[in-house]
Amino acid sequence: MTSRRDFLKTSAGVGVGAAVGMGSPRSLAGAPAVLPHRVAPVAIASGNGMEAVATAFRAVSAGGDTLDAAVEGVNIVERDPNDRSVGYGGRPNLDGVVQLDSSVMHGPSRGAGAVACLEGIKTPSRVAVDVMRYTDHVLLVGKGAQRFAVSMGHRVEDLLTEGTRRQWIEWRARMSATDDYLTPEEAGLRVPPFEDEDDGMGMLDSHDGVRPQGTINCNVINQDGDLSGVTTTSGLAWKIPGRVGDSPIVGAGLYVDNDVGACGSTGRGEAVIKTCGSHSVVELMRSGMSPVDACLEALRRVVTFTAEERLRNEQGRPGFNVNYYAVNKNGEYGGAAIWSGARFAVCSGGESRREDSAYLFERGR
Ligand code: GLY
């Protein structure tokens, strides 16, 4: 019998020839025709990724690997205590504990890695890369993911900031009028109630107020047309401990096929998981759709799958947002959301910029 190690040894020998002679492994049928010329590199991200795309673009322009570039970009946001939707400073779960989700996909090697419910590590995207590079697995979760991260040299730290702790304490006090926690008004405190921004990426209007949901997705293509992507998040604020969103689910919050394109998502993860969102966008691009049209078509599927009345507004439309960000093999890119007003970050040289996402429904109509 051939052991996995024997198999790897054999295929490594084949792999060297393959890598030098033929580029990436054999293409899947149906990939769209790719223009023979070199591609203009571009990095795209969710609206909170202005610095991330600039960093990723610089890295890839200097000859860096597309996944290393994308991860270096999102690390800025993961380490930023003021971005309350990702990494350090992300909003905690019901118990006041920050649990992080992330996935990565590397187009040229067809690699994928992910972590979910990871506690105490500021940069879960780097742990996802380690899962991809140093294990035979794709997804590690919870305590096992943390133990793996520590074994790879990541440091365990407290991810709550004073701001997110105060938000959580206040949210807990407002949960019920009959428990023993006092709201700031009841306690006679003169602190202003916290205000949560709608960053255009995914607020869920629920009966008990607005549930913030932010995330960063970043996708990069280099001049050879190689693609990679990363998605990373602290997920839905105040979630039930153990809840996993779309971000670490390959095919939902991220998908990359080096023959076709890359896509990632932000917004209500449950809706993206149910429709295999990012994989759907890539498959629609494979069938010939532009990135924007593919994103819009995948969003229509989200609308169709939103059957629960509690998730729909008076017009029967989703009471939440989902955003897709896609780039195809020729470097064409686009973003789309269910609701108008969303923007995404782009860098294709010079300063990064925000562009308007296409949308299905206009807010306020
Ligand atoms: N899209 C992020 C989440 O739902 O967790």
Side-chain angles (χ1 to χ4, degrees):
M1 227 175 88
T2 313
S3 75
R4 185 170 61 82
R5 234 169 261 284
D6 290 339
F7 171 76
L8 288 176
K9 257 192 252 159
T10 318
S11 50
V14 174
V16 173
V20 173
M22 294 181 285
S24 59
R26 202 162 59 83
S27 303
L28 297 178
V34 177
L35 306 178
H37 58 70
R38 295 201 154 226
V39 173
V42 66
I44 65 167
S46 39
N48 53 349
M50 290 290 277
E51 274 188 80
V53 289
T55 299
F57 184 83
R58 260 196 312 275
V60 92
S61 302
D65 173 77
T66 47
L67 181 57
D68 291 340
V71 169
E72 192 183 332
V74 301
N75 285 167
I76 296 169
V77 184
E78 288 177 322
R79 292 189 176 114
D80 179 0
N82 296 317
D83 188 308
R84 285 175 279 170
S85 68
V86 178
Y88 176 50
R91 295 181 192 86
N93 66 17
L94 181 89
D95 292 340
V97 176
V98 181
Q99 288 188 324
L100 304 175
D101 296 340
S102 180
S103 63
V104 299
M105 287 191 81
H106 183 239
S109 67
R110 313 278 185 187
V115 289
C117 289
L118 176 64
E119 296 176 13
I121 312 285
K122 280 184 177 169
T123 51
S125 63
R126 287 191 171 265
V127 186
V129 170
D130 286 344
V131 172
M132 180 188 89
R133 290 203 176 131
Y134 300 110
T135 80
D136 189 36
H137 305 316
V138 170
L139 173 62
L140 296 181
V141 306
K143 286 284 170 227
Q146 192 193 57
R147 279 194 353 235
F148 168 75
V150 169
S151 79
M152 297 304 295
H154 297 268
R155 210 151 38 106
V156 175
E157 299 172 78
D158 184 0
L159 301 186
L160 265 188
T161 58
E162 265 323 290
T164 48
R165 188 188 308 280
R166 197 169 78 79
Q167 284 192 353
W168 172 70
I169 288 170
E170 188 173 332
W171 168 80
R172 185 178 62 176
R174 294 191 192 284
M175 280 282 282
S176 160
T178 57
D179 66 19
D180 296 324
Y181 293 112
L182 302 181
T183 62
E185 300 81 38
E186 287 165 339
L189 297 175
R190 293 163 65 87
V191 289
F194 72 79
E195 280 173 21
D196 251 313
E197 71 288 358
D198 180 349
D199 51 16
M201 289 192 292
M203 307 288 275
L204 171 65
D205 295 312
S206 58
H207 298 298
D208 56 354
V210 170
R211 299 278 300 279
Q213 261 170 313
T215 298
I216 181 166
N217 162 249
C218 181
N219 304 308
V220 176
I221 186 166
N222 69 11
Q223 61 171 8
D224 299 325
D226 282 332
L227 290 140
S228 289
V230 53
T231 304
T232 177
T233 189
S234 54
L236 180 64
W238 337 130
K239 60 194 173 187
I240 296 173
R243 178 263 189 188
V244 173
D246 56 327
S247 305
I249 307 296
V250 167
L254 181 69
Y255 199 69
V256 178
D257 182 330
N258 210 46
D259 295 331
V260 179
C263 178
S265 64
T266 62
R268 181 177 160 80
E270 284 75 5
V272 177
I273 293 172
K274 282 204 296 184
T275 52
C276 299
S278 295
H279 182 260
S280 298
V281 172
V282 170
E283 289 308 302
L284 290 162
M285 290 196 290
R286 189 195 304 280
S287 73
M289 279 191 182
S290 71
V292 171
D293 286 344
C295 292
L296 286 169
E297 178 55 25
L299 290 167
R300 285 186 198 101
R301 295 180 187 179
V302 169
V303 175
T304 304
F305 268 70
T306 307
E308 305 92 330
E309 213 178 309
R310 67 190 163 80
L311 294 175
R312 298 201 279 176
N313 68 13
E314 281 153 13
Q315 286 83 43
R317 294 167 176 171
F320 57 84
N321 214 353
V322 167
N323 304 258
Y324 288 123
Y325 317 93
V327 54
N328 72 14
K329 184 74 177 166
N330 293 322
E332 295 149 351
Y333 62 86
I338 296 176
W339 291 99
S340 64
R343 311 189 79 197
F344 64 102
V346 183
C347 189
S348 52
E351 302 274 295
S352 49
R353 59 188 183 275
R354 282 206 179 88
E355 295 191 12
D356 291 337
S357 296
Y359 55 87
L360 295 180
F361 307 123
E362 201 158 331
R363 278 182 200 270
R365 291 223 164 167

